[in-house]
Amino acid sequence: MNIAHGNVSRILVFGSMWIILASLWVIYWPSQVSFRPVVRYFPKPFGDVADPFVPPPGVAATRDPIFPTTRRFRGPITRPKNKISGVIQRPHGFPEDYGQDKPGNAGAGSNIFPAIAKAAGRIKEKISFGESISEDEKRRPWRYPVKVDRTQLGTEKATLLMLARNDDLYAVRESMRRLEDRFNHKFRYPWTFMNDEPFTEEFIAITTGIASGKTEYVRVPKEHWGFPSWVNQTHAKLQMKKMADEHIIYGGSLSYRHMCRFFSGFFFRQPVMQQYEWYWRVEPGVNFYCDQHYDPFRWLRENGKSYGFTVTLHDFRETIASLWETTERFFYENPEYVDPNNMRGFVIENTTRNGEPYVDYNTCHFWTNFEIGKVSLWTSEKYLRYFDYLDKTGNFFYERWGDAPVHSVALTHMWDKKEIHFFNDIGYEHSPFRRCPQAHEHGNAGRCLCPLDMSLVDNNGFSCFEQWKKTFGDNYEVDLTW
Ligand SMILES: *[C@@H]1O[C@H](CO)[C@@H](O)[C@H](O)[C@H]1NC(C)=O
Ligand SMILES: *[C@@H]1O[C@H](CO)[C@@H](O)[C@H](O)[C@H]1NC(C)=O
């Protein structure tokens, strides 16, 4: 009886303990389970423009307890209409002015996603504390950044070069992720970042996290990003105000002018560039539509080229009012710099001035936000003299000379046209223009995926593609063997 009584109370005590534990678990459980089937990534009409961390409108994002840099979507998933329009959609939840040239907007991944900043801290930790793998990492590798072997595989002394502000971080990540996926993970060329301000630790950690090769961060010195002594700043400001009033694109922007002057005359003077023969200029927020299955640096070198472009456009005449006159004067004074096999024909047009025939600049230029070139083009004596000649006029500030027409006019006069290469096989987007390879074997049937409604800049009036074909005839595109 006593024994039986003891058993009953033991059963009661243990039984109720289990019931209490079970009910605590039932209360606790839902907060721990992520209902993963509700996470969906919808196809975006223009590739991976939108950030997958951003939930659709009207759906609250909650922090994922397992991996805080991803978010799970709770609540109803409304499938957005797959709108096909000519406009690139702003990622959900981004400010109206996303992507516009204003400080403090847009790209700022960190402001929008504190979780990314946290992850950056972790990546930084990994980068600085090396290779020891913790028990937790072995158990849950998905919580940790991938171990990166940054040994370069490409054969050339080359770098991917990006001028960026800390605020551009989101757009920088877009460009890097895409170029790494399409190209660089196969070659692991190093990235070089330049900025007139110090890069934040967060910027460094996150960009290094995306890069497959090593990364370097350069602060541009003040003398390369400011008014030179001979420029009358009062006059420059008046001119800027005037151009802004006339709604000339970037007419009122001083930083845009510094940027143009920097790419015209100074990026190649940064000591970091001395270790490289080649650079590929990359801008924040660009897209590449095609798998890049060969090394363009190596191809250019082996084929005796010095410069490659993929988009060529007309410029806004108002921004370069006196560039041509200045250039003509320079070559009149220094005829020895003009290459006998130049491609001046690509940049001139026959007009009249004061009733007289006049050879003017047709404003065609290589769109330099994409360029793959030899550093030595710009460190050559002839180019440096040309740049100085232009710079002394102050018209990088009084007007708004772009680095694209400056590079292009120099290239088309001072180099053999055989050294300049049109990368027809590269599909590229830099808002507002995009292009896809023209020849069908490179295009949608092959290794490219271009938007369905793609309007090609090559086919519209902005483009100088027709001019290029005219200049080179049937040989406008080098026949690559596939
Ligand atoms: C600078 O420009 C202003 C405005 O155009 C002009 O009034 C002034 O005389 C200029 N200064 C010099 C030193 O040329
Ligand atoms: C401009 O005129 C010259 C002389 O008439 C001619 O040789 C040249 O082909 C013309 N160039 C263009 C771009 O029309």
Side-chain angles (χ1 to χ4, degrees):
M1 185 67 199
N2 260 352
I3 290 164
H5 179 77
N7 275 346
V8 168
S9 55
R10 228 174 278 147
I11 287 165
L12 281 178
V13 169
F14 281 108
S16 46
M17 225 170 76
W18 280 112
I19 289 167
I20 289 164
L21 279 174
S23 28
L24 280 176
W25 173 247
V26 166
I27 294 163
Y28 178 67
W29 176 72
S31 69
Q32 282 306 293
V33 173
S34 79
F35 295 96
R36 289 196 178 267
V38 303
V39 179
R40 266 206 226 147
Y41 300 96
F42 346 97
K44 296 295 185 313
F46 298 114
D48 40 351
V49 180
D51 189 302
F53 305 160
V54 184
V59 176
T62 56
R63 195 71 66 78
D64 187 320
I66 304 292
F67 186 36
T69 61
T70 63
R71 291 168 171 232
R72 54 199 163 120
F73 304 148
R74 288 201 164 181
I77 293 292
T78 47
R79 198 178 176 75
K81 283 204 191 86
N82 216 350
K83 252 204 262 161
I84 302 285
S85 75
V87 182
I88 298 165
Q89 284 173 337
R90 172 167 54 91
H92 295 302
F94 275 62
E96 287 301 346
D97 59 357
Y98 169 68
Q100 290 176 15
D101 183 32
K102 275 197 340 192
N105 73 354
S110 54
N111 303 342
I112 297 168
F113 307 118
I116 294 176
K118 231 175 161 187
R122 253 204 248 125
I123 294 168
K124 196 170 132 237
E125 214 171 279
K126 278 290 153 194
I127 291 162
S128 43
F129 299 122
E131 296 303 307
S132 66
I133 297 175
S134 65
E135 282 309 306
D136 190 46
E137 187 168 0
K138 279 184 205 158
R139 206 153 51 81
R140 297 188 286 189
W142 58 87
R143 289 190 61 166
Y144 293 86
V146 179
K147 287 281 185 307
V148 181
D149 175 1
R150 296 180 189 274
T151 316
Q152 183 176 313
L153 302 175
T155 52
E156 306 308 299
K157 287 185 185 167
T159 186
L160 309 173
L161 171 67
M162 179 137 51
L163 178 76
R165 291 169 297 195
N166 289 309
D167 279 348
D168 294 333
L169 183 53
Y170 184 80
V172 169
R173 288 165 60 218
E174 287 182 315
S175 293
M176 288 186 74
R177 183 69 273 153
R178 292 162 181 168
L179 194 55
E180 284 290 346
D181 291 348
R182 304 284 187 273
F183 163 68
N184 200 42
H185 73 280
K186 291 173 266 190
F187 299 95
R188 295 192 204 146
Y189 281 113
W191 289 84
T192 305
F193 297 91
M194 297 186 182
N195 187 353
D196 62 310
E197 283 172 12
F199 282 113
T200 60
E201 291 197 343
E202 182 196 8
F203 185 100
I204 292 172
I206 289 181
T207 49
T208 301
I210 292 190
S212 60
K214 70 185 174 84
T215 48
E216 279 191 279
Y217 300 85
V218 176
R219 176 152 187 206
V220 175
K222 281 275 166 280
E223 0 16 311
H224 297 170
W225 197 275
F227 285 107
S229 58
W230 58 88
V231 165
N232 178 340
Q233 297 189 24
T234 320
H235 184 52
K237 278 164 195 159
L238 286 173
Q239 288 294 106
M240 275 163 52
K241 167 120 193 6
K242 199 169 137 237
M243 288 175 79
D245 292 344
E246 289 165 11
H247 302 290
I248 292 169
I249 185 166
Y250 298 117
S253 169
L254 180 60
S255 66
Y256 194 84
R257 284 172 168 79
H258 286 318
M259 188 269 283
C260 291
R261 184 166 171 267
F262 176 74
F263 272 116
S264 300
F266 298 101
F267 82 88
F268 48 86
R269 295 187 218 223
Q270 308 309 308
V272 69
M273 296 304 287
Q274 284 167 9
Q275 56 189 308
Y276 300 120
E277 278 169 24
W278 298 90
Y279 69 98
W280 178 336
R281 179 169 157 197
V282 184
E283 288 248 316
V286 298
N287 201 357
F288 299 91
Y289 294 126
C290 309
D291 183 48
Q292 181 66 30
H293 62 310
Y294 65 96
D295 181 343
F297 298 120
R298 182 169 180 166
W299 190 89
L300 290 174
R301 179 176 58 75
E302 288 181 348
N303 290 277
K305 312 275 179 192
S306 303
Y307 187 86
F309 70 95
T310 188
V311 174
T312 170
L313 296 176
H314 286 97
D315 211 342
F316 298 93
R317 240 173 230 290
E318 316 81 66
T319 65
I320 44 167
S322 70
L323 175 64
W324 187 248
E325 259 178 51
T326 314
T327 300
E328 292 279 74
R329 207 166 55 234
F330 175 77
F331 288 123
Y332 182 78
E333 291 169 16
N334 302 280
E336 71 279 13
Y337 290 150
V338 179
D339 191 284
N341 195 30
N342 65 69
M343 45 178 292
R344 179 175 155 89
F346 175 58
V347 293
I348 57 171
E349 65 186 7
N350 291 330
T351 55
T352 54
R353 205 153 73 160
N354 309 324
E356 296 290 309
Y358 181 70
V359 175
D360 203 351
Y361 181 29
N362 62 13
T363 76
C364 283
H365 60 273
F366 311 125
W367 213 25
T368 48
N369 51 65
F370 171 104
E371 59 181 7
I372 304 180
K374 254 189 186 158
V375 179
S376 63
L377 287 170
W378 317 119
T379 53
S380 63
E381 191 207 319
K382 55 187 176 183
Y383 180 77
L384 288 174
R385 286 211 43 208
Y386 175 63
F387 172 76
D388 279 347
Y389 195 87
L390 298 182
D391 200 28
K392 285 289 183 307
T393 65
N395 283 328
F396 281 101
F397 296 97
Y398 306 143
E399 295 181 10
R400 203 225 63 199
W401 291 354
D403 53 289
V406 169
H407 279 188
S408 306
V409 167
L411 286 164
T412 52
H413 284 77
M414 297 195 277
W415 276 273
D416 187 322
K417 60 182 166 196
K418 290 206 199 87
E419 288 183 59
I420 298 168
H421 177 62
F422 168 41
F423 278 110
N424 191 7
D425 56 315
I426 293 183
Y428 178 66
E429 170 183 19
H430 178 295
S431 185
F433 295 121
R434 21 190 180 149
R435 74 174 301 275
C436 230
Q438 296 272 312
H440 63 88
E441 70 267 26
H442 313 151
N444 275 321
R447 62 199 170 78
C448 307
L449 184 67
C450 298
L452 284 176
D453 66 331
M454 181 107 174
S455 66
L456 294 169
V457 64
D458 295 349
N459 300 342
N460 77 27
F462 284 110
S463 176
C464 286
F465 185 55
E466 286 307 316
Q467 184 74 18
W468 177 264
K469 284 205 270 192
K470 241 188 272 168
T471 310
F472 283 84
D474 287 341
N475 299 322
Y476 76 89
E477 184 197 33
V478 175
D479 187 20
L480 301 170
T481 39
W482 299 90

